[in-house]
mmCIF file of all heavy atoms in Angstrom:
data_model
loop_
_atom_site.group_PDB
_atom_site.id
_atom_site.type_symbol
_atom_site.label_atom_id
_atom_site.label_comp_id
_atom_site.label_asym_id
_atom_site.label_seq_id
_atom_site.Cartn_x
_atom_site.Cartn_y
_atom_site.Cartn_z
ATOM 1 N N ASN A 227 110.276 220.877 80.319
ATOM 2 C CA ASN A 227 110.558 220.460 81.688
ATOM 3 C C ASN A 227 110.631 218.933 81.781
ATOM 4 O O ASN A 227 109.929 218.217 81.059
ATOM 5 C CB ASN A 227 109.477 220.985 82.635
ATOM 6 C CG ASN A 227 109.846 220.827 84.082
ATOM 7 O OD1 ASN A 227 110.951 221.184 84.490
ATOM 8 N ND2 ASN A 227 108.941 220.295 84.885
ATOM 9 N N ILE A 228 111.474 218.445 82.684
ATOM 10 C CA ILE A 228 111.607 217.000 82.908
ATOM 11 C C ILE A 228 111.248 216.746 84.361
ATOM 12 O O ILE A 228 112.103 216.759 85.257
ATOM 13 C CB ILE A 228 113.041 216.512 82.602
ATOM 14 C CG1 ILE A 228 113.451 216.906 81.182
ATOM 15 C CG2 ILE A 228 113.132 215.001 82.774
ATOM 16 C CD1 ILE A 228 114.905 216.609 80.855
ATOM 17 N N GLY A 229 109.959 216.565 84.618
ATOM 18 C CA GLY A 229 109.491 216.391 85.984
ATOM 19 C C GLY A 229 108.525 215.232 86.096
ATOM 20 O O GLY A 229 108.325 214.462 85.141
ATOM 21 N N ASP A 230 107.907 215.099 87.278
ATOM 22 C CA ASP A 230 106.910 214.048 87.476
ATOM 23 C C ASP A 230 105.740 214.226 86.518
ATOM 24 O O ASP A 230 105.148 213.246 86.057
ATOM 25 C CB ASP A 230 106.397 214.077 88.917
ATOM 26 C CG ASP A 230 107.282 213.276 89.861
ATOM 27 O OD1 ASP A 230 107.596 212.125 89.545
ATOM 28 O OD2 ASP A 230 107.661 213.820 90.908
ATOM 29 N N GLY A 231 105.404 215.468 86.239
ATOM 30 C CA GLY A 231 104.273 215.731 85.356
ATOM 31 C C GLY A 231 104.457 215.208 83.954
ATOM 32 O O GLY A 231 103.496 214.817 83.291
ATOM 33 N N GLN A 232 105.708 215.182 83.485
ATOM 34 C CA GLN A 232 105.989 214.704 82.129
ATOM 35 C C GLN A 232 106.209 213.187 82.091
ATOM 36 O O GLN A 232 105.952 212.552 81.079
ATOM 37 C CB GLN A 232 107.215 215.420 81.549
ATOM 38 C CG GLN A 232 106.999 216.888 81.270
ATOM 39 C CD GLN A 232 106.888 217.726 82.520
ATOM 40 O OE1 GLN A 232 107.623 217.511 83.493
ATOM 41 N NE2 GLN A 232 105.975 218.683 82.522
ATOM 42 N N GLY A 233 106.738 212.617 83.164
ATOM 43 C CA GLY A 233 106.926 211.163 83.229
ATOM 44 C C GLY A 233 107.794 210.603 82.122
ATOM 45 O O GLY A 233 107.574 209.468 81.682
ATOM 46 N N LEU A 234 108.783 211.363 81.663
ATOM 47 C CA LEU A 234 109.609 210.889 80.543
ATOM 48 C C LEU A 234 110.391 209.629 80.891
ATOM 49 O O LEU A 234 110.647 208.785 80.017
ATOM 50 C CB LEU A 234 110.585 211.985 80.112
ATOM 51 C CG LEU A 234 109.983 213.279 79.569
ATOM 52 C CD1 LEU A 234 111.079 214.230 79.116
ATOM 53 C CD2 LEU A 234 109.014 213.007 78.423
ATOM 54 N N HIS A 235 110.763 209.470 82.163
ATOM 55 C CA HIS A 235 111.518 208.288 82.576
ATOM 56 C C HIS A 235 110.686 207.008 82.447
ATOM 57 O O HIS A 235 111.231 205.908 82.445
ATOM 58 C CB HIS A 235 112.010 208.451 84.016
ATOM 59 C CG HIS A 235 110.922 208.701 85.019
ATOM 60 N ND1 HIS A 235 110.166 209.846 85.021
ATOM 61 C CD2 HIS A 235 110.449 207.940 86.049
ATOM 62 C CE1 HIS A 235 109.282 209.797 86.013
ATOM 63 N NE2 HIS A 235 109.433 208.649 86.648
ATOM 64 N N LEU A 236 109.358 207.156 82.325
ATOM 65 C CA LEU A 236 108.468 206.006 82.215
ATOM 66 C C LEU A 236 108.194 205.607 80.773
ATOM 67 O O LEU A 236 107.601 204.547 80.540
ATOM 68 C CB LEU A 236 107.132 206.314 82.913
ATOM 69 C CG LEU A 236 107.223 206.731 84.387
ATOM 70 C CD1 LEU A 236 105.850 207.121 84.911
ATOM 71 C CD2 LEU A 236 107.824 205.605 85.214
ATOM 72 N N ILE A 237 108.604 206.422 79.817
ATOM 73 C CA ILE A 237 108.259 206.167 78.423
ATOM 74 C C ILE A 237 109.453 206.187 77.472
ATOM 75 O O ILE A 237 109.581 205.320 76.603
ATOM 76 C CB ILE A 237 107.166 207.169 77.941
ATOM 77 C CG1 ILE A 237 106.694 206.866 76.514
ATOM 78 C CG2 ILE A 237 107.656 208.603 78.040
ATOM 79 C CD1 ILE A 237 105.757 205.717 76.410
ATOM 80 N N ILE A 238 110.372 207.149 77.632
ATOM 81 C CA ILE A 238 111.458 207.327 76.666
ATOM 82 C C ILE A 238 112.392 206.119 76.595
ATOM 83 O O ILE A 238 112.665 205.609 75.488
ATOM 84 C CB ILE A 238 112.251 208.621 76.961
ATOM 85 C CG1 ILE A 238 111.404 209.853 76.663
ATOM 86 C CG2 ILE A 238 113.550 208.663 76.156
ATOM 87 C CD1 ILE A 238 111.098 210.075 75.201
ATOM 88 N N PRO A 239 112.927 205.602 77.718
ATOM 89 C CA PRO A 239 113.865 204.472 77.606
ATOM 90 C C PRO A 239 113.240 203.247 76.930
ATOM 91 O O PRO A 239 113.867 202.628 76.064
ATOM 92 C CB PRO A 239 114.247 204.179 79.065
ATOM 93 C CG PRO A 239 114.021 205.479 79.771
ATOM 94 C CD PRO A 239 112.816 206.066 79.112
ATOM 95 N N ALA A 240 112.009 202.915 77.324
ATOM 96 C CA ALA A 240 111.355 201.744 76.737
ATOM 97 C C ALA A 240 111.057 201.955 75.256
ATOM 98 O O ALA A 240 111.215 201.044 74.429
ATOM 99 C CB ALA A 240 110.061 201.434 77.496
ATOM 100 N N LEU A 241 110.636 203.159 74.913
ATOM 101 C CA LEU A 241 110.333 203.467 73.513
ATOM 102 C C LEU A 241 111.607 203.445 72.677
ATOM 103 O O LEU A 241 111.617 202.913 71.548
ATOM 104 C CB LEU A 241 109.661 204.841 73.452
ATOM 105 C CG LEU A 241 108.891 205.208 72.187
ATOM 106 C CD1 LEU A 241 107.854 204.160 71.838
ATOM 107 C CD2 LEU A 241 108.224 206.576 72.361
ATOM 108 N N ALA A 242 112.679 203.994 73.214
ATOM 109 C CA ALA A 242 113.967 203.985 72.503
ATOM 110 C C ALA A 242 114.472 202.563 72.310
ATOM 111 O O ALA A 242 115.064 202.228 71.271
ATOM 112 C CB ALA A 242 114.982 204.810 73.287
ATOM 113 N N GLN A 243 114.234 201.734 73.306
ATOM 114 C CA GLN A 243 114.674 200.343 73.222
ATOM 115 C C GLN A 243 113.917 199.603 72.126
ATOM 116 O O GLN A 243 114.510 198.837 71.351
ATOM 117 C CB GLN A 243 114.453 199.665 74.572
ATOM 118 C CG GLN A 243 115.217 198.375 74.768
ATOM 119 C CD GLN A 243 115.150 197.910 76.213
ATOM 120 O OE1 GLN A 243 114.084 197.892 76.827
ATOM 121 N NE2 GLN A 243 116.289 197.521 76.763
#
Side-chain angles (χ1 to χ4, degrees):
N227 191 48
I228 305 173
D230 274 310
Q232 292 71 40
L234 297 183
H235 57 294
L236 304 175
I237 184 77
I238 291 292
L241 198 54
Q243 197 169 47

